[in-house]
Amino acid sequence: MGASLLSFSNFSRATIKKTKRINAETGEVVEDEDVHNFANFCGRVSIQPANLVNMKKASNSQDASSLVVHGFRPMKFLPITNLMSKTTIALANDSRVSGSEKALYNLKLSMIKKDVFAVGEMLTRASTTSKMVALVPKNDGFGGFLITQLPYKEDTRKVLP
């Protein structure tokens, strides 16, 4: 069983924060590399902070901010009750990627015609884990999509009628 830690923060004149972690039982200073996070995998498993960063990187299919489309589903399978967060709007930017406006517009028209939405993986920052998202075509004159986070199976629960 791990010992409880006390944290003390000192600020110098240049406002540089220095934190000391002290073992509450022995009074010894605990170094950063000796501090571990724990996860429950059939019992407590120790995870060092450096390994936690590597796990987040490995869980992403891309190293930089990205949006990857994995497939398409009929619109009737879009779980309106399970949407997880705020909706984001994705628009083409022809000044950065030539031809993107025409490509997204044609993709949107095709998706509306077939009555489908796209399922994809979105990574907003390299330091976070990717999220499963739905790309729903906006029904307007522009080539935009609504992007909303979808839950994983373990994030949902049955609701009684």
Side-chain angles (χ1 to χ4, degrees), residues 17-35:
K17 183 178 179 181
K18 294 181 182 179
T19 302
K20 286 185 182 179
R21 291 180 181 89
I22 299 174
N23 186 330
E25 295 171 1
T26 64
E28 296 176 358
V29 175
V30 178
E31 300 297 327
D32 288 341
E33 58 269 4
D34 294 331
V35 176

Side-chain angles (χ1 to χ4, degrees), residues 33-134:
E33 58 269 4
D34 294 331
V35 176
H36 296 260
N37 295 318
F38 290 92
N40 285 321
F41 299 112
C42 301
R44 280 180 83 176
V45 177
S46 172
I47 302 173
Q48 291 183 338
N51 292 340
L52 193 61
V53 170
N54 289 336
M55 285 173 59
K56 284 183 177 180
K57 281 181 134 177
S59 69
N60 301 328
S61 65
Q62 303 290 320
D63 291 333
S65 298
S66 59
L67 176 62
V68 179
V69 174
H70 293 298
F72 300 92
R73 299 281 307 197
M75 216 41 121
K76 67 181 179 181
F77 292 125
L78 183 62
I80 299 299
T81 58
N82 291 339
L83 301 179
M84 303 277 293
S85 64
K86 296 178 184 175
T87 301
T88 306
I89 297 175
L91 297 170
N93 188 348
D94 249 2
S95 63
R96 291 189 72 190
V97 180
S98 180
S100 64
E101 190 172 331
K102 186 174 182 180
L104 277 181
Y105 182 76
N106 288 331
L107 176 64
K108 181 187 87 160
L109 288 180
S110 178
M111 288 173 67
I112 290 171
K113 180 180 175 185
K114 295 178 181 181
D115 197 31
V116 296
F117 68 96
V119 177
E121 175 185 2
M122 185 169 74
L123 180 64
T124 53
R125 282 181 266 142
S127 62
T128 61
T129 56
S130 58
K131 299 174 179 130
M132 183 171 58
V133 296

